[in-house]
Amino acid sequence: MADSLLRAAVIGSGFGRLAAAIRLQSAGVATTIYEARDLPGGRAYVYQDGGYTFDAGPTVITAPHCLEELFELSGRKLSDYVELMPVTPFYRLHWLADGDQFDYDGDGDAMLRQIRARSEDDARGYQRFRDYAEKVFDAGYTKLASTPFLRFWDMVKVAPQLGKLRADRSVYGTVARYVKDEHVRQALSFHSLLVGGNPFETSSIYTLIHHLERTWGVWFAKGGTGALVRGLVKLFTELGGTIELSTPVDGIRVEDGPQVRHHVTARGATRAYDLVVSNADVHSTYAKLYGEEPRARPMTKKLERADWSMSLFVLYFGTDQSYADKIAHHTVVFGKRYKELLAEIFHGDRVPDDMSLYLHAPHVTDPSLAPPGHGAFYVLSPVPHLGHADVDWNALAPRYADRVLETLEPLLPNLRQHVTTRRWVTPFTFRDELASYHGAAFSVAP
């Protein structure tokens, strides 16, 4: 147990909160994690169903050294707790309109060959785009990732660097300056969707993801993302940290004075801490956890005026055949529309009739996640958040799940006949179980 007068409370046990808790405990701060759900992991929850293992949320690891650093703080090794497996290709991209496919990978030569087969001009443009993405990475990640922007002038100081890189342009707008083929444009611009941003609106700073993945690869934890959660929890508790499951925090009261104290109330008991780390939904943190604090109200109102990310419909399903010869670990399925569909997802007042999908098939890399010869999938469909589209998802979900499976059948033949189990998460889940404002899946839009 940490031998310290300082005590910290960490609200939630997702990856960000586990990382913060490990850092605090490693620094000698006695740390307690409060988790509302019955298992750790936050959005990285795990569902077990009939021999299938379904990771509920995050599935892509792109910077393993960030995880390794958490273990190195206490002289340990990540590899002693969890095995990371490389994923190749990073993503397979499939266009429903014409059946076109593209393997997006860290192998720049392989990418170049695929693009050159479409257009020699675009191949040269892609090489220039790679150079640009590297410059953005150096400015936006290497130099600024650990820089806190707490005041307006903090941003003004770096404005010349970002201005030179035209951070005012969108991801798609920037990509379009380098390549002309529409499928290649989509292949190089979809990444901002993985963090809740519309490629036509999100800053070109997010093109750094291309260089980040090329530099460090894409990885998956053997046994599923839940295995990584368990490894982090094991490290935290070995360091003397405490985690309390099924313990939602009801509120936090701040006591001012020579030594500020945060009084955290959960399950009828109140404890005092020197500091609190909340990586819960930012609106929920101010409006609910600190809702009685007058200082929290201006931030709550400011957040309610902000642009929020889209929500998600996520369908988890098992099949009695693996389909491993037909798909990659990660598949992005583009519908017949791109810009118009994204506009409806981010700003529309109804759920679009068509869809683009992200399909996760972890058994392609780790067959242990499904019964022998079977497949364990989840498929994610971006949809408008509840502040834009007031939809009764309890009524719509079964029909929408059928539409998702039907949309996947060009890739997974006769899919609906082979589904053995299924469950789903809707914007209601994000709102009610994860306390996300408007049911937004990625908080405030990037």
Side-chain angles (χ1 to χ4, degrees):
M1 184 60 148
D3 182 16
S4 172
L5 295 176
L6 287 177
R7 300 177 68 231
V10 174
I11 312 302
S13 63
F15 284 122
R17 287 157 278 192
L18 285 170
I22 289 168
R23 290 183 180 279
L24 285 165
Q25 195 68 36
S26 298
V29 179
T31 304
T32 299
I33 294 176
Y34 290 89
E35 170 55 53
R37 301 173 110 179
D38 62 337
L39 293 173
R43 299 186 184 205
Y45 198 79
V46 176
Y47 300 110
Q48 302 284 350
D49 187 353
Y52 300 94
T53 298
F54 299 113
D55 287 322
T59 59
V60 179
I61 299 169
T62 54
H65 66 281
C66 293
L67 296 169
E68 291 167 352
E69 184 179 293
L70 295 174
F71 291 82
E72 291 167 357
L73 291 170
S74 55
R76 292 165 166 82
K77 292 183 178 180
L78 168 65
S79 57
D80 291 334
Y81 291 75
V82 63
E83 178 184 347
L84 297 186
M85 310 170 70
V87 176
T88 303
F90 293 168
Y91 312 94
R92 177 161 293 156
L93 312 181
H94 181 93
W95 285 268
L96 292 172
D98 57 10
D100 189 18
Q101 287 198 162
F102 186 94
D103 279 356
Y104 184 102
D105 206 335
D107 184 340
D109 292 338
M111 290 274 287
L112 196 58
R113 285 195 298 272
Q114 291 180 85
I115 296 173
R116 181 171 285 123
R118 298 162 184 262
S119 165
E120 187 64 46
D121 286 345
D122 279 356
R124 289 191 291 269
Y126 171 64
Q127 290 174 304
R128 295 195 301 273
F129 172 74
R130 284 194 315 198
D131 294 339
Y132 170 82
E134 182 176 1
K135 292 175 183 176
V136 174
F137 176 86
D138 288 340
Y141 187 93
T142 305
K143 297 177 182 177
L144 301 180
S146 59
T147 301
F149 295 103
L150 304 178
R151 302 170 186 82
F152 175 75
W153 290 107
D154 294 335
M155 300 184 69
V156 171
K157 291 176 184 176
V158 301
Q161 300 174 56
L162 302 183
K164 187 177 180 180
L165 294 168
R166 293 305 306 265
D168 58 306
R169 290 181 176 143
S170 70
V171 171
Y172 182 90
T174 298
V175 169
R177 296 175 66 86
Y178 293 96
V179 296
K180 303 303 180 186
D181 183 282
E182 181 58 25
H183 284 186
V184 177
R185 287 178 171 182
Q186 293 174 21
L188 297 177
S189 68
F190 77 91
H191 283 81
S192 62
L193 288 164
L194 302 180
V195 292
N198 185 339
F200 291 90
E201 299 171 356
T202 302
S203 166
S204 62
I205 288 296
Y206 283 82
T207 58
L208 66 81
I209 297 175
H210 180 77
H211 185 75
L212 183 150
E213 290 182 336
R214 287 190 62 230
T215 301
W216 292 313
V218 170
W219 303 79
F220 183 71
K222 186 175 183 179
T225 307
L228 178 56
V229 171
R230 292 190 294 273
L232 292 170
V233 170
K234 181 181 179 184
L235 171 63
F236 174 65
T237 55
E238 285 178 354
L239 293 170
T242 302
I243 182 166
E244 299 196 10
L245 301 176
S246 302
T247 308
V249 173
D250 300 314
I252 305 172
R253 179 178 58 84
V254 180
E255 177 189 354
D256 289 322
Q259 184 177 5
V260 176
R261 306 286 278 173
H262 298 253
H263 297 272
V264 177
T265 300
R267 290 199 300 192
T270 300
R271 301 180 201 167
Y273 295 92
D274 298 285
L275 61 107
V276 170
V277 177
S278 175
N279 201 26
D281 177 81
V282 64
H283 180 271
S284 178
T285 295
Y286 286 100
K288 297 179 181 178
L289 299 185
Y290 285 100
E292 299 302 317
E293 291 289 326
R295 289 169 290 186
R297 292 170 192 162
M299 180 58 77
T300 300
K301 293 179 180 178
K302 182 178 181 180
L303 288 166
E304 289 172 356
R305 295 192 298 269
D307 291 328
W308 288 76
S309 75
M310 77 290 201
S311 192
L312 301 172
F313 178 88
V314 189
L315 176 65
Y316 310 90
F317 62 95
T319 57
D320 60 12
Q321 60 177 269
S322 74
Y323 291 105
D325 60 333
K326 299 185 180 301
I327 53 171
H329 184 127
H330 304 289
T331 303
V332 179
V333 182
F334 293 97
K336 296 181 180 179
R337 301 184 301 154
Y338 189 56
K339 183 176 182 179
E340 298 80 6
L341 176 60
L342 290 173
E344 292 181 20
I345 289 169
F346 281 86
H347 305 291
D349 60 2
R350 55 184 290 276
V351 178
D353 293 328
D354 55 337
M355 58 186 69
S356 288
L357 305 169
Y358 160 67
L359 179 66
H360 181 229
H363 64 280
V364 171
T365 300
D366 183 358
S368 71
L369 298 174
H374 289 225
F377 299 86
Y378 93 44
V379 57
L380 176 159
S381 177
V383 295
H385 67 58
L386 298 170
H388 285 323
D390 185 13
V391 174
D392 182 358
W393 278 100
N394 290 332
L396 177 59
R399 300 195 306 275
Y400 197 81
D402 289 338
R403 285 167 50 195
V404 168
L405 294 174
E406 182 181 4
T407 301
L408 288 173
E409 289 198 331
L411 283 80
L412 307 175
N414 303 312
L415 174 60
R416 285 170 289 177
Q417 299 176 28
H418 294 285
V419 171
T420 58
T421 184
R422 68 179 189 173
R423 65 168 68 212
W424 50 73
V425 162
T426 76
F428 283 0
T429 313
F430 286 96
R431 181 193 65 189
D432 300 336
E433 294 186 24
L434 297 169
S436 296
Y437 188 60
H438 290 325
F442 299 92
S443 189
V444 177

